[in-house]
Amino acid sequence: MNYLISDRERLIGALLLGNTFVNILASALATSVALALFDEGGVAIATLAMTAIILIFAEVLPKTLAITRTDRMALAVAYSVRVLVALLTPILKAVQFVVWGVLRLFGLRDEEAKPVLTAQEEIRGAIDLHHQEGTVEREHRDMLGGILDLAELNIADVMVHRKNMEVLDGAAPPEEIVEAVLSSAHTRFPIYRDDPENIVGVLHVRSYCAR
């Protein structure tokens, strides 16, 4: 497995080449047989039949199975895929040579190529996929996504200015303080004396509830 994912461009290229070759070969053989059996109407019959077969058995079914049994399927096909990659590597190199030769005509160099997905994008995509499947709740998805965005955040984006904080007057009656705490969504409240800028302590509601 590690050998295969060490060069993802080669792996994806081998899979695409093998998939394209098999689909075209199967379609050509089906068309040949259909023409022999149904004359000119065989083309339409072969087109409809191969569309349904390829869609179900070559696209939807294996991809659905791979999503639902990811690790098991990956280990089951790893050896076969490794052999396929080894056999197709010379062809893939030739294809890449031709592709980059064409792209150079448009001013694009292979050293300018960047990974399609960064590590963060891959992780975010996996989280979104599990969220769509219902295994990760929206709150957890947003929380994990926020962790991935930490490097792009400034302190001002996550901190609350002192003028906007919910603070309590330490000299206020206990009933007023309790009412303010119950009506708030926060569990920690700075306590000030005389001036809101003069913070003398912090009220932690949960610690008092635990007592």
Side-chain angles (χ1 to χ4, degrees):
M1 284 293 297
N2 293 333
Y3 170 79
L4 292 174
I5 63 177
S6 62
D7 190 342
R8 299 188 180 186
E9 184 178 0
R10 180 180 58 183
L11 172 61
I12 295 175
L15 294 176
L16 290 175
L17 178 59
N19 182 68
T20 303
F21 175 77
V22 171
N23 288 345
I24 293 177
L25 177 62
S27 299
L29 292 176
T31 302
S32 177
V33 172
L35 285 174
L37 296 176
F38 305 104
D39 295 330
E40 295 182 358
V43 175
I45 295 174
T47 301
L48 294 175
M50 291 308 300
T51 298
I53 293 174
I54 291 176
L55 177 64
I56 296 174
F57 296 101
E59 298 295 336
V60 178
L61 190 149
K63 289 180 174 60
T64 303
L65 184 60
I67 291 174
T68 55
R69 296 291 188 271
T70 306
D71 294 338
R72 188 179 302 176
M73 282 296 299
L75 293 174
V77 302
Y79 180 77
S80 300
V81 172
R82 181 168 182 172
V83 173
L84 178 66
V85 170
L87 293 175
L88 297 180
T89 294
I91 301 177
L92 292 175
K93 291 182 177 180
V95 171
Q96 291 178 349
F97 178 80
V98 173
V99 168
W100 282 111
V102 174
L103 292 177
R104 288 190 187 95
L105 298 177
F106 296 93
L108 182 63
R109 302 294 178 181
D110 52 358
E111 57 268 15
E112 300 175 6
K114 298 180 180 180
V116 177
L117 292 177
T118 63
Q120 289 186 349
E121 291 172 337
E122 290 183 0
I123 296 173
R124 195 187 305 276
I127 295 172
D128 290 338
L129 175 61
H130 287 291
H131 171 66
Q132 294 173 5
E133 294 176 349
T135 56
V136 174
E137 297 181 1
R138 180 178 180 180
E139 179 181 357
H140 296 162
R141 182 202 63 178
D142 295 340
M143 185 185 304
L144 294 172
I147 294 175
L148 296 175
D149 295 331
L150 283 178
E152 302 176 3
L153 293 178
N154 297 318
I155 295 179
D157 296 327
V158 295
M159 298 293 290
V160 177
H161 195 275
R162 67 181 187 279
K163 295 182 179 179
N164 299 325
M165 292 192 304
E166 292 189 33
V167 294
L168 300 176
D169 185 359
E175 296 81 5
E176 182 179 336
I177 295 177
V178 171
E179 182 180 355
V181 169
L182 294 178
S183 62
S184 175
H186 301 292
T187 58
R188 289 182 174 86
F189 298 88
I191 305 296
Y192 71 89
R193 179 181 298 167
D194 300 332
D195 185 357
E197 298 287 341
N198 181 30
I199 304 298
V200 296
V202 176
L203 172 62
H204 189 187
V205 177
R206 291 184 179 178
S207 64
Y208 282 93
C209 292
R211 296 177 184 176

